[in-house]
Amino acid sequence: MTAYKHLFFDLDHTLWDYDRNATEVLRFLFDKYNLQEKSGSSVEAFLEIYQQINEQYWIRFEEGQIGKEEIREERFPLTFKNLGINSLKGLEDFGEEFLNLTPHKTNLIPYAREVLEVLKDKFHLHIITNGFQDVQLPKLEGSQLRSYFRKIITSDCGFNKPDPRIFLYAMEKAGCEPSEALMIGDNLQADVFGAQRMQIDQVYFNPIKEKHGLEKNPTFEVTCLSDIPSLLM
Ligand SMILES: [Mg+2]
């Protein structure tokens, strides 16, 4: 068995339950801003349209076509437009409020804390996330995960996974070699393929058992975080 010393975790959808946390805030804001009245649509329709639009923006971001400002400024106005809301009057602060509230939500992926608790004494734990520091740090702090991690690598370093440069930057910051590192994440492209290109072993966290056709299989694949310690210890 390879002697891993440094474990690099992705944050959103791997440790921090992005979908549940964001959905709770979106439901709250849907009511607060009277969107049912303004659009005649249900909260479910709103969530579905927003999720599609948001996903498209993140794909374009990960391909380097747009920056974070475009995501932040455009995704809600476009959602409102798709819901049939013609005037943005009174909705100007919606996106800002979403950004302010969401990182303070604290729902975690099942077993996240338990697994970190088991791993923390045996390994150096770090985060590599494609989010931004101002959003990701409150998530870690609010859900009381911050103290488990030595280095927090975010998109603010100028690169996003799967760009090899964010992994290089992370190795340098953590002071480790690719052979001592393991990347753990839910995204095949960003986390698994990104780490493969850097000769870093990977754990693909695949809770919905998504089928995949990567040229090279992940080093490990788990459907539950609680399966990770037995792979490594
Ligand atoms: Mg993720």
Side-chain angles (χ1 to χ4, degrees), residues 23 26-27 30 42-55 79 82-83:
T23 301
L26 290 169
R27 284 179 181 277
F30 185 85
S42 66
V43 68
E44 272 70 29
F46 164 69
L47 291 172
E48 200 182 317
I49 291 172
Y50 169 72
Q51 273 148 12
Q52 281 170 9
I53 288 172
N54 187 46
E55 203 180 301
T79 302
N82 275 275
L83 273 178

Side-chain angles (χ1 to χ4, degrees), residues 2-8 126 167-168 170-183 198-201:
T2 316
Y4 301 115
K5 290 186 186 149
H6 295 259
L7 309 184
F8 293 85
H126 315 282
F167 293 97
L168 264 178
M171 298 293 109
E172 205 179 289
K173 278 271 176 193
C176 86
E177 297 296 326
S179 62
E180 304 170 313
L182 183 68
M183 179 72 214
M198 284 293 296
Q199 321 299 332
I200 296 167
D201 283 358

Side-chain angles (χ1 to χ4, degrees), residues 10 12-14 186 191:
D10 169 53
D12 291 338
H13 305 281
T14 297
D186 70 294
D191 301 315

Side-chain angles (χ1 to χ4, degrees), residues 204-222:
Y204 175 36
F205 174 50
N206 186 10
I208 55 167
K209 299 188 178 143
E210 192 148 18
K211 288 208 169 45
H212 53 85
L214 270 191
E215 209 165 285
K216 206 173 141 211
N217 276 327
T219 319
F220 305 104
E221 180 167 338
V222 298

